[in-house]
């Protein structure tokens, strides 16, 4: 297609409409996504020459992706509800708090390690909502009790929610996950150290950073390395879960070693745990509390990590062939074979299997109130229904723009005004802006993933590095959005404005740092 400025401005309109409606009118992602999608469809047909075939294939492509993602979302929420209603999360949190008598270390164990683990299995604001009250229980001030877990789990967002944001990125940009995972995981691993030190700064200032630096280096290295290893070997659904478990182990080992170095006659304070709310039912012991995640890992490692076994089970699949499409203005999109996903070892189904098994174990132990099974199913389904429509509309918007050639026009326009070095800084800003407004790494990846890829190709930049910057910046900023902060602040009655004000300063540093790391990587690998 021939490029002109009017086309570029019109192609920019749908994503700008989404961002503007969410900023100015505080619309949720469902309503704003609907407006953006309608704008994309109208412009695709009226200006960019997309016919019924191109538009229809785009919507089918989006629907297939969202069915894939929705199954993971529902499974993740099902497992979260299954474990939470048994009191298992409180048991895990209490065990972490008992590892140290130092309030700052306890805050990092809960607000960094445990929050990252929670992001791995649930996401959608769950880590802040759960951890903030626990931090108040160990004496952290109310506003900082929201800031600390917001920062602490931000690095785990892309490979959290059992990999949903990363799955969306894979499907949106149509590149192999094993290739995309490396740069994203390396950037996020580097940011993992930084957010932990920021969390320490939020509680105790510069003195806190100096005091916990060795602890952060040891635990952050363990978490970052495990997430990198899992993600690059096809187990991105377990990236943040595995990182959290590695953090538990590394923290316990480090703190035990530190205690062994104390002089024999040094006084030792008793380790105070959390004051757990009283329940009419018993809580599971720690080994049973983590059983759901152990079962999930035990199922996923062979079925998703061993390629011959994975290929065998994926032969049973829900997939369709998408035809090639051409617009009236000559933009062509190739056909795609077997667009869909395999069963019965789909990541979402593996999570559901784990949920069912651990539900039986908890029920036999007497951990549930009567009717817990129905309540768990209802809560997971209700939360999924709130999330999925927005994802569908955001993904359909991106697919429509791609099939109409609108994304190619945006990429060409950006390529005409930005040098490679400048775009290395611009890529994380774009990802962060989308995530801050929508409150979602998923939405940012869906809307901006393909424009980032197309621009990188046009400027001859390393595509995988640019996409890693997109999702890394979107991850760390998504937790600072008003929507996410409202979730965390609501559980402890904190002032949302104060929390956002504190977070934005840290967020600016994180985006700038992501830009610097991206720029260095571009210079090295270009």
């Amino acid at each position: 297609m021939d490029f002109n400025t009017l086309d570029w401005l019109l192609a920019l309109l749908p994503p700008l409409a989404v961002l503007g409606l969410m900023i100015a009118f505080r619309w949720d992602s469902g309503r704003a996504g609907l407006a953006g999608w309608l704008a994309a469809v109208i412009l695709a047909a009226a200006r960019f020459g997309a016919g019924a075939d191109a538009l229809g294939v785009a919507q089918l492509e989006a629907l297939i992706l969202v069915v894939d993602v929705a199954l993971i979302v529902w499974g993740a929420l099902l497992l979260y509800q299954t474990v939470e209603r048994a009191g298992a999360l409180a048991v895990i949190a209490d065990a972490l708090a008992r590892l140290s008598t130092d309030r700052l270390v306890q805050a990092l164990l809960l607000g960094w390690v445990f929050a990252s683990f929670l992001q791995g299995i649930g996401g959608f604001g769950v880590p802040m909502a759960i951890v903030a009250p626990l931090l108040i229980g160990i004496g952290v001030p109310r506003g900082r009790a929201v800031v600390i877990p917001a920062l602490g789990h931000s690095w785990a967002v892309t490979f959290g929610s059992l990999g949903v944001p990363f799955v969306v990125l894979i499907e949106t940009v149509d590149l192999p996950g094993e290739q995309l995972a490396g740069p994203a995981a390396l950037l996020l691993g580097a940011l993992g150290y930084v957010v932990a030190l920021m969390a320490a700064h939020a509680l105790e200032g510069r003195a806190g950073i100096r005091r916990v630096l060795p602890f952060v280096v040891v635990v952050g290295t363990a978490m970052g390395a495990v997430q990198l290893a899992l993600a690059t070997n096809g187990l991105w659904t377990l990236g943040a879960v595995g990182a959290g478990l590695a953090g538990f182990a590394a923290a316990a080992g480090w703190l035990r070693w530190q205690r062994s170095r104390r002089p024999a006659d040094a006084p030792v304070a008793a380790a105070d745990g959390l004051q757990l709310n009283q329940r009419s039912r018993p809580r599971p012991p720690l080994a049973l509390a983590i059983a759901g995640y152990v079962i999930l890992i035990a199922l996923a490692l062979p079925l998703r990590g061993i390629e011959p076994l994975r290929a065998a089970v994926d032969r049973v699949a829900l997939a369709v062939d998408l035809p090639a499409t051409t617009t009236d203005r000559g933009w062509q999109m190739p056909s795609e074979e077997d667009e869909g996903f395999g069963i019965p070892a789909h990541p979402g189904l593996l999570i559901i299997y784990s949920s069912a098994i651990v539900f039986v174990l908890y029920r036999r132990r007497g951990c549930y109130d009567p009717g817990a099974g129905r309540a768990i199913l209802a809560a997971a389904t209700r939360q999924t229904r709130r999330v999925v429509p927005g994802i569908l509309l955001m993904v359909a918007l991106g697919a429509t723009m791609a099939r109409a050639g609108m994304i190619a026009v945006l990429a060409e326009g950006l390529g005409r005004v930005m040098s490679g070095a400048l775009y290395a800084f611009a890529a994380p800003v774009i990802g962060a802006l989308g995530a801050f407004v929508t409150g979602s790494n998923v939405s940012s990846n869906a809307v901006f993933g393909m424009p980032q890829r197309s621009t990188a190709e046009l400027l001859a930049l390393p595509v995988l590095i640019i996409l890693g910057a997109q999702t890394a910046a979107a991850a760390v900023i998504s937790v600072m959005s008003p929507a996410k902060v409202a979730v965390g602040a609501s559980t402890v009655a904190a002032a949302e404005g104060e929390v956002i004000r504190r977070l934005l300063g840290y967020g600016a540093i994180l985006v700038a740092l992501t830009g610097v790391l991206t720029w260095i990587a571009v210079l090295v690998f270009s």
Side-chain angles (χ1 to χ4, degrees), residues 241-517:
V241 172
L245 292 174
F248 296 159
W254 171 261
L255 294 171
R256 188 178 298 113
W257 179 69
Q258 288 287 341
R259 286 194 296 269
S260 72
R261 296 176 65 225
R262 292 195 189 105
D265 57 349
V268 179
D272 294 328
L274 299 168
Q275 296 299 316
L276 301 181
N277 295 331
Q278 296 299 315
R279 285 166 46 93
S280 59
R281 296 279 176 172
R283 286 185 170 85
L286 181 60
L288 186 57
I290 65 172
Y293 314 113
V294 174
I295 293 168
L296 175 59
I297 293 170
L299 290 174
L301 283 175
L303 292 175
R304 307 306 302 172
I306 300 175
E307 187 55 38
L309 184 56
R310 177 179 177 177
V313 295
D314 280 348
R315 288 178 182 174
V316 181
L318 177 62
V320 298
D321 295 335
L322 297 178
T325 58
T326 304
T327 68
D328 293 343
R329 294 179 58 178
W331 176 254
Q332 297 180 349
M333 289 285 287
S335 61
E336 299 179 33
E337 296 183 357
D338 295 328
E339 181 72 11
F341 49 87
I343 48 178
H346 184 279
L349 291 176
L350 294 181
I351 303 164
I352 293 169
Y353 305 154
S354 304
S355 302
I357 294 169
V358 79
F359 176 82
V360 173
L361 295 177
Y362 289 150
R363 188 173 62 179
R364 288 183 175 178
R365 186 82 181 191
C367 299
Y368 288 125
D369 292 325
R374 291 190 298 275
I376 288 169
L377 289 171
T381 302
R382 184 170 58 252
Q383 290 175 284
T384 302
R385 284 202 302 263
R386 285 202 301 262
V387 172
V388 168
I391 296 175
L392 172 60
L393 290 163
M394 294 292 186
V395 172
L397 184 158
T400 300
M401 292 179 65
R403 288 277 167 180
M406 297 164 70
I407 288 176
V409 169
L410 285 177
E412 185 173 352
L414 290 172
R416 287 173 180 244
V417 299
M418 289 187 177
S419 69
L422 283 177
Y423 198 78
F425 287 96
V429 173
I430 292 170
L433 178 62
F436 179 78
V437 173
T438 64
S440 170
N441 192 178
V442 170
S443 297
S444 182
N445 286 346
V447 173
F448 294 112
M450 188 55 80
Q452 297 269 33
R453 175 185 173 176
S454 300
T455 304
E457 290 173 341
L458 191 66
L459 299 176
L461 298 174
V463 172
L464 301 179
I465 293 173
I466 295 300
L467 291 174
Q470 151 68 35
T471 193
V476 295
I477 297 302
S478 66
V479 303
M480 304 177 189
S481 69
K484 291 283 182 66
V485 169
V487 173
S490 66
T491 61
V492 294
E496 296 176 25
E498 176 193 348
V499 173
I500 291 175
R501 180 180 59 80
R502 288 176 177 271
L503 286 173
L504 287 181
Y506 294 119
I509 296 171
L510 290 170
V511 173
L513 177 59
T514 305
V516 171
L517 295 174

Side-chain angles (χ1 to χ4, degrees), residues 21-331:
L21 289 170
M22 297 191 76
I23 290 175
F25 297 99
R26 299 185 180 275
W27 285 20
D28 59 29
S29 61
R31 288 197 296 165
L34 176 60
W37 172 75
L38 287 172
V41 169
I42 292 170
L43 288 170
R47 178 70 183 185
F48 293 90
D53 57 341
L55 294 175
V57 171
Q59 311 322 306
L60 178 59
E61 189 174 14
L63 182 61
I64 292 170
L65 167 62
V66 171
V67 171
D68 186 5
V69 172
L71 190 54
I72 298 176
V73 170
W74 189 74
L77 291 170
L78 183 70
L79 180 57
Y80 165 72
Q81 290 289 339
T82 300
V83 174
E84 165 64 13
R85 288 174 184 269
L89 290 181
V91 171
I92 297 170
D94 182 60
L96 283 175
R98 291 179 183 277
L99 289 174
S100 174
T101 57
D102 185 327
R103 188 185 68 159
L104 180 56
V105 174
Q106 288 181 337
L108 290 181
L109 286 168
L110 291 169
W112 180 38
V113 179
F114 187 46
S116 298
F117 176 74
L118 287 175
Q119 179 64 27
I121 61 172
F124 308 111
V126 164
M128 285 187 284
I130 291 177
V131 172
L134 300 179
L135 289 173
I136 289 178
I138 61 171
V140 175
R142 197 170 298 276
R144 296 175 188 180
V146 181
V147 170
I148 289 170
L151 290 167
H153 85 278
S154 62
W155 79 283
V157 169
T158 289
F159 296 106
S161 305
L162 294 161
V164 171
F166 189 67
V167 171
V168 170
L169 181 65
I170 293 171
E171 300 292 344
T172 300
V173 303
D174 194 25
L175 288 172
E178 290 81 359
Q179 295 180 18
L180 285 168
L186 286 170
L187 275 172
L188 289 164
L191 296 176
Y193 299 109
V194 180
V195 298
L197 295 175
M198 286 178 169
H201 180 271
L203 186 58
E204 293 191 6
R206 293 180 182 178
I209 292 177
R210 291 192 295 268
R211 191 149 61 81
V212 297
L213 183 58
F215 174 81
V216 168
V217 170
V218 170
V219 178
T221 299
M223 291 201 293
V226 168
Q227 178 167 275
L228 175 65
L230 290 170
T232 53
N233 285 281
L235 293 172
W236 42 78
T237 56
L238 297 177
V241 172
L245 292 174
F248 296 159
W254 171 261
L255 294 171
R256 188 178 298 113
W257 179 69
Q258 288 287 341
R259 286 194 296 269
S260 72
R261 296 176 65 225
R262 292 195 189 105
D265 57 349
V268 179
D272 294 328
L274 299 168
Q275 296 299 316
L276 301 181
N277 295 331
Q278 296 299 315
R279 285 166 46 93
S280 59
R281 296 279 176 172
R283 286 185 170 85
L286 181 60
L288 186 57
I290 65 172
Y293 314 113
V294 174
I295 293 168
L296 175 59
I297 293 170
L299 290 174
L301 283 175
L303 292 175
R304 307 306 302 172
I306 300 175
E307 187 55 38
L309 184 56
R310 177 179 177 177
V313 295
D314 280 348
R315 288 178 182 174
V316 181
L318 177 62
V320 298
D321 295 335
L322 297 178
T325 58
T326 304
T327 68
D328 293 343
R329 294 179 58 178
W331 176 254

